[in-house]
Amino acid sequence: MESSLPLTIDRTTSLPLHLQLAEQFRAAVLDGRLQAGHRLPSTRDLARDLSVSRSVTQAAYDQLHAEGWIEGRTGAGTFVTDVVPLQPAVRRRAAHRPDPGTRLLTLRPGIPYIAPTPDPGWRRAWREVSTQSPPPGYDDAAGLPALRAALADHVGRVRGIACGPENVLVTNGTIHGLRLLLTVTRRPGDRIAIEDPGYLNAVVAARDHQLEIVDVPVDEDGLQVSALTDVPAVYVTPSHQYPLGGRLPVARRNELIRWARRTGATLIEDDYDSEFRYDVAPLPALAQLDLDRVIHLGTLSKTLSPALRLGWLVASEQTVERLATFRAESGDWPGWPMQAALLAMLRDGYLDQAVRRGRRLYAERRTHTCAVLSPYGQIIGQDAGLHITLLLPDDTDDLHLAATARAAGVVVAPLSEYRRSTPGPPGLVIGYATPSTPDLHKALTILTQVLDRSASRRTLPG
């Protein structure tokens, strides 16, 4: 069945209909059959032409919009974005690459999907920056004042943190903010509690600053507050515990705040994956409860791109002043162009749009990933974020399993890689955000074959 677009439906394949349409659309744009500015038929008209339900064409358009291939114009319709088709020389070079079936597909967690073409909101922000002159002299070590004000409004609106620009410091991302904080507020030999299993980069940062790491176990609800000992600082991921995915419930959040007030400890809140929840609205940030005891770290790495190296730290005014004073001496802060671009994106609502698009895209991928992998073990952490954790039988060697998957062409993270001293079941931490949708399907197919072979070996007698 053909439409006015170069799209067909093949009901004999296992690939979902909306993904068939999206894949053919991408190919038509890249080889020049569809040009930038081409007005697309409505989802209703396209559904009629292809004899499919409107939900199929709407899902295809949602996918393409999330990836940046199409854009909606109020009152005008939907159009192909400005995508430069591949030139013949590029295609010839690609022909000499290894077979696509042998290239590594990554299902590593924590890396978002980056569309092959820039989003119109991103282009608008950079055009605006290009018309401005840089500020005279050195800019504010805490960040552009207007950006700090915009970020204060942003975290107040989406994370419930009552703060002003004096409470905000612009960073190069979460780990940059954490390292800056440890440099200024901690001394070698100080103790810091970190979730176990937990975020490896946070552990590395603490070790680099010669801190004594106290491993704190986690359960299905996140960090176990009752296991905390006498430590002056705690690093915690309450919105979506990394990597197990628990969400610190309100009662435990209150217990953690009471413990911090009683002991005088500082809570370092990594607001990991707070933007992407698929069951309920995100819980308010831990920093909402006590900005004197909590230092909040946020980032753009999951909503826009890790390559932007932009984030924020929200803390008491005194803490921000200490950090800014140190940075004024070290000269270590984000450059003006990137800060100005973020300010434009916040002002124009681009960041909110990116989050909404991401939720639609990742929710669909999460559902598919869970459906494919659920026969192989217990899936946890699927209600939020960009990854799920697949718990495997106790006799599984997840390190060997991950190595086998890599040899077959798929990169996954073994759960034991994140454990330090707290025992627990083996598993795989599987990100579903990074690859294109066809590559995600291909990677999951390869991974299930590896899991099938692993299960067969475990059940062999002797």
Side-chain angles (χ1 to χ4, degrees), residues 109-343:
I111 308 172
Y113 175 76
I114 306 299
T117 57
D119 185 275
W122 174 254
R123 293 199 298 265
R124 282 194 301 270
W126 277 109
R127 279 198 299 268
E128 179 174 324
V129 173
S130 70
T131 65
Q132 302 175 27
S133 296
Y138 292 101
D139 47 352
D140 194 318
L144 296 180
L147 176 57
R148 295 168 68 194
L151 285 171
D153 289 342
H154 175 75
V155 298
R157 177 170 52 85
V158 304
R159 304 301 295 122
I161 305 174
C163 65
E166 68 278 2
N167 300 115
V168 177
L169 182 131
V170 182
T171 70
N172 288 117
T174 297
I175 290 300
H176 175 258
L178 175 62
R179 285 180 173 270
L180 176 64
L181 186 64
L182 297 181
T183 299
V184 174
T185 66
R186 302 291 125 198
R187 294 176 297 180
D190 281 356
R191 288 155 56 88
I192 182 170
I194 300 181
E195 299 160 327
D196 184 20
Y199 187 30
L200 295 177
N201 286 345
V203 174
V204 171
R207 286 176 178 163
D208 286 349
H209 286 80
Q210 303 176 49
L211 304 183
E212 179 186 343
I213 297 172
V214 178
D215 298 331
V216 182
V218 298
D219 58 21
E220 64 275 7
D221 286 330
L223 181 137
Q224 296 182 28
V225 180
S226 59
L228 286 172
T229 58
D230 183 18
V231 292
V234 179
Y235 170 89
V236 60
T237 54
S239 293
H240 190 224
Q241 197 279 325
Y242 188 82
L244 297 185
R247 181 183 64 170
L248 206 64
V250 170
R252 196 175 291 188
R253 288 172 184 239
N254 292 341
E255 181 186 2
L256 181 57
I257 292 291
R258 285 194 295 268
W259 174 86
R261 288 173 176 171
R262 185 175 66 252
T263 63
T266 296
L267 305 177
I268 304 171
E269 176 185 32
D270 181 344
D271 203 33
Y272 179 75
D273 275 350
S274 66
E275 308 92 340
F276 301 114
R277 287 213 67 87
Y278 312 116
D279 53 349
V280 296
L283 284 178
L286 199 61
Q288 181 197 36
L289 302 176
D290 193 333
L291 201 54
D292 290 327
R293 297 259 59 88
V294 181
I295 296 172
H296 177 92
L297 299 172
T299 181
L300 293 177
S301 64
K302 307 300 182 295
T303 51
L304 297 181
S305 169
L308 297 183
R309 312 310 306 162
L310 269 183
W312 50 89
L313 179 151
V314 184
S316 67
E317 184 176 357
Q318 294 77 13
T319 298
V320 170
E321 287 177 353
R322 287 183 65 190
L323 299 175
T325 298
F326 173 81
R327 287 216 309 197
E329 299 168 353
S330 67
D332 179 22
W333 63 84
W336 166 78
M338 191 61 73
Q339 292 192 58
L342 175 56
L343 176 59

Side-chain angles (χ1 to χ4, degrees), residues 340-395:
L342 175 56
L343 176 59
M345 288 185 277
L346 283 168
R347 185 201 61 219
D348 295 343
Y350 170 68
L351 189 58
D352 292 337
Q353 295 170 17
V355 169
R356 287 194 295 269
R357 287 198 303 270
R359 283 192 190 126
R360 291 195 298 267
L361 175 66
Y362 299 142
E364 180 178 281
R365 291 182 173 198
R366 175 208 61 156
T367 299
H368 177 72
T369 301
C370 289
V372 171
L373 296 178
S374 58
Y376 297 93
Q378 179 188 357
I379 293 176
I380 60 175
Q382 69 269 36
D383 292 332
L386 309 183
H387 76 270
I388 57 98
T389 298
L390 178 67
L391 300 182
L392 298 168
D394 289 339
D395 59 346

